[in-house]
Amino acid sequence: QSALTQPASVSGSPGQSITISCTGTSNDVGGYNHVSWYQHHAGKAPKLIIYEVTNWPSGVSHRFSGSKSGNTASLTISGLQAEDEADYYCSSYTSSNTRVFGGGTRLTVL
Amino acid sequence: EVQLVESGGGLVQPGRSLRLSCAASGFTFEVYAMHWVRQAPGKGLEWVSSINWDTEGIDYADSVKGRFTISRDNAKNSLYLQMNSLRVEDTALYYCAKDRAYSLDYWGQGTLVTVSS
């Protein structure tokens, strides 16, 4: 159950777009369309922003979008805003019927 | 409004036990799978365990298998995590979360578990 691989940090200026990658294996990310993304502000509960690779929960901004190619999933945030500054985690269902998270990516809005 | 409220955390010595609870409201608890996820200080999220709506499907992370037991009481809209043989590395903020299409769509605020002598 190794964690999915995410970059430790990314940054961008307001209005720009950034992409966060999430690399796993054929036993998790590559084997299923059960990838989800979470936004986590310190001291608050994590928030689901993408599920099943590309879908938005009700009320989530469509500035967040997800995709997947092979064993790598990606989260793109367009039109960066100051409030997007947070930690972002990917997660996947696995062939062992468990879940695995990525190590997390700290987004800094410059 | 969906609400998940964890309780039961605290300071405990290595080797001892602790039982966490999660009180759910605002949705039909008995039809959804539930999860426990933890975050150690300064670290990322780690999935701990999940339980299906009917308790027939239960899974654990390798790091807690054999020491932790997940359970639920649908009549009380409650989720539990019995943690035995606690280790220093189990120190973390423990969240309960509701399942939705292989994702976790609602999370509680967490309860802090500190394992230290």
Side-chain angles (χ1 to χ4, degrees):
Chain A
Q1 292 180 344
S2 299
L4 306 176
T5 301
Q6 298 181 230
S9 64
V10 297
S11 63
S13 299
Q16 289 186 331
S17 296
I18 63 94
T19 297
I20 299 171
S21 61
C22 169
T23 301
T25 70
S26 58
N27 292 320
D28 39 65
V29 174
Y32 309 92
N33 285 326
H34 301 323
V35 176
S36 49
W37 289 90
Y38 303 86
Q39 178 190 61
H40 192 198
H41 288 104
K44 301 185 73 175
K47 176 185 178 182
L48 175 67
I49 55 175
I50 294 288
Y51 69 97
E52 296 293 86
V53 179
T54 61
N55 295 290
W56 296 280
S58 175
V60 171
S61 171
H62 288 195
R63 294 189 299 106
F64 298 94
S65 61
S67 62
K68 192 186 85 166
S69 177
N71 294 338
T72 298
S74 298
L75 172 71
T76 297
I77 308 175
S78 58
L80 270 179
Q81 298 178 1
E83 58 261 37
D84 297 334
E85 188 161 289
D87 294 328
Y88 291 84
Y89 294 89
C90 62
S91 179
S92 177
Y93 174 79
T94 81
S95 58
S96 302
N97 200 38
T98 61
R99 307 293 189 271
V100 61
F101 282 93
T105 299
R106 174 70 53 88
L107 169 61
T108 300
V109 180
L110 302 171
Chain B
E1 178 192 6
V2 172
Q3 285 198 321
L4 297 168
V5 181
E6 302 93 337
S7 61
L11 175 63
V12 62
Q13 293 179 326
R16 303 299 291 265
S17 299
L18 208 58
R19 189 194 196 207
L20 306 183
S21 300
C22 172
S25 61
F27 66 101
T28 308
F29 179 76
E30 63 189 9
V31 304
Y32 288 96
M34 297 292 294
H35 301 257
W36 287 100
V37 176
R38 68 185 181 183
Q39 184 175 32
K43 303 294 185 181
L45 299 175
E46 179 189 14
W47 178 84
V48 172
S49 182
S50 65
I51 184 168
N52 280 6
W53 66 275
D54 60 358
T55 74
E56 290 297 310
I58 289 176
D59 294 282
Y60 299 98
D62 288 344
S63 57
V64 307
K65 198 173 294 183
R67 299 187 299 121
F68 288 13
T69 302
I70 191 172
S71 63
R72 65 190 295 162
D73 185 336
N74 288 341
K76 295 183 177 180
N77 287 351
S78 293
L79 176 72
Y80 306 102
L81 187 67
Q82 177 67 42
M83 304 186 295
N84 298 332
S85 304
L86 281 162
R87 304 169 179 168
V88 171
E89 54 265 34
D90 294 319
T91 294
L93 185 63
Y94 283 74
Y95 296 100
C96 75
K98 171 183 167 290
D99 186 89
R100 180 249 176 104
Y102 297 94
S103 63
L104 282 62
D105 63 345
Y106 288 96
W107 300 58
Q109 293 292 328
T111 185
L112 182 63
V113 173
T114 303
V115 185
S116 174
S117 53

